[in-house]
Amino acid sequence: MDLQGIGALAAAGVALIAALTTVLVGRWQTRAVLRASAHSARVGRAQAAASYKAALDAVQAQGRNEHLQWKRGIQRDAYATFLQSVLDYMEHATNVFAQGTTDPSQVPAVITASKPLGTDMSHRNLVVKLEGPEEASAAAQSTLVAAERFMQTCQGQARWFLAQSLLRERTASHPQEARRIQELLGRAEGYSSTLGTDRVPAGVVEELQELRALFSAVGLGLEHLAALTNAPPLNTYSDKANALDDAIENFLRMARAALHSAVQPAPNT
């Protein structure tokens, strides 16, 4: 083979090697590009997932915070309306007592008017029980009981004023019966606390029977006799009022603590 043929073969070999090299380099480059693309895709997916999770966490945190704010608002309204009902009931109880001293004839009407106020207070207390927490609910129940005891005291004393007023009115038309009633009532003050127990003194039953007969004779009922023999002492008014004030203060402390702990903002991640 001449030199020209050998040169041609050599050139062809070189060209073949160059082509193979080009193919291999191309494959390597393609693989590198694919690997880089796959890595970029993984990084992109990870970044997208992280961004989605951060957005989802933020939305969830905002939702939790909004729910806590909503719950706090519901609790605040429940506490406020209950407290207002207690204050209304307390004010009316004071009016019941005052009515007994100023115009006893209106005592039955103002006592009747206290019933819807008491019902409203009880209903609002149930709402506090539903909303909780236990500490606020227990404080509300104690406040309710203190308010009812204050009202009972005011009503008892108002009924006493009414019965005394009615008895004085009977004095002119039934002087002897009225004097005997006052005498027996004076003695009843010494044993009124024993009524309904086994410590009732001898002869009390007979005196009570006589009082019933005398009250009937002057046109008064047994409810008036009960009012005069079972009226709470006057100092009980201030004692029950102070107890109610203390109960209200305790409820306010528990309500403030509950409202403060009700809002615990979730971290915004």
Side-chain angles (χ1 to χ4, degrees):
M1 182 180 293
D2 57 11
L3 291 176
Q4 185 178 1
I6 294 172
L9 289 175
V14 170
L16 179 60
I17 292 173
L20 290 175
T21 301
T22 301
V23 171
L24 289 176
V25 170
R27 287 182 178 178
W28 291 337
Q29 289 177 339
T30 300
R31 289 176 181 175
V33 170
L34 291 175
R35 284 196 297 269
S37 298
H39 176 71
S40 298
R42 286 194 298 270
V43 171
R45 288 195 297 270
Q47 290 176 342
S51 299
Y52 174 78
K53 184 177 184 303
L56 181 61
D57 289 344
V59 171
Q60 290 176 339
Q62 181 180 1
R64 285 193 296 269
N65 292 337
E66 289 177 353
H67 176 75
L68 289 173
Q69 291 287 354
W70 171 80
K71 180 176 176 59
R72 184 179 186 272
I74 295 297
Q75 286 180 322
R76 183 181 60 246
D77 291 344
Y79 299 158
T81 54
F82 169 71
L83 181 59
Q84 185 59 58
S85 70
V86 171
L87 295 176
D88 292 343
Y89 196 66
M90 183 180 183
E91 180 181 5
H92 189 77
T94 303
N95 291 337
V96 169
F97 176 81
Q99 198 68 54
T101 62
T102 57
D103 188 2
S105 64
Q106 297 301 314
V107 165
V110 293
I111 288 179
T112 300
S114 67
K115 294 180 181 178
L117 293 174
T119 300
D120 180 68
M121 182 176 63
S122 297
H123 287 170
R124 297 188 186 282
N125 179 53
L126 290 177
V127 176
V128 174
K129 285 183 180 293
L130 290 173
E131 293 300 326
E134 183 62 31
E135 295 78 7
S137 175
Q141 181 63 30
S142 297
T143 304
L144 176 91
V145 171
E148 289 176 338
R149 289 175 178 171
F150 180 62
M151 177 65 81
Q152 290 168 1
T153 296
C154 293
Q155 290 182 355
Q157 292 177 338
R159 289 190 178 101
W160 183 90
F161 285 121
L162 172 61
Q164 280 287 4
S165 175
L166 294 173
L167 184 57
R168 284 194 299 270
E169 292 176 1
R170 302 308 195 270
T171 301
S173 58
H174 302 80
Q176 294 181 352
E177 291 86 350
R179 282 195 298 271
R180 180 57 177 166
I181 287 174
Q182 293 289 4
E183 177 186 349
L184 292 174
L185 287 175
R187 294 165 60 178
E189 291 179 357
Y191 58 72
S192 60
S193 62
T194 67
L195 296 178
T197 71
D198 56 0
R199 298 181 288 108
V200 179
V204 168
V205 174
E206 290 78 5
E207 291 183 353
L208 287 175
Q209 290 175 344
E210 183 180 357
L211 274 172
R212 292 190 186 98
L214 288 168
F215 268 72
S216 178
V218 300
L220 297 179
L222 294 179
E223 70 275 13
H224 302 117
L225 173 59
L228 291 171
T229 55
N230 298 315
L234 287 176
N235 65 339
T236 306
Y237 175 90
S238 58
D239 292 342
K240 298 302 182 183
N242 291 335
L244 178 53
D245 287 339
D246 291 342
I248 290 174
E249 287 298 322
N250 182 58
F251 172 71
L252 286 172
R253 284 193 297 271
M254 294 300 103
R256 282 193 292 265
L259 292 175
H260 179 74
S261 62
V263 180
Q264 297 294 337
N268 199 359
T269 58

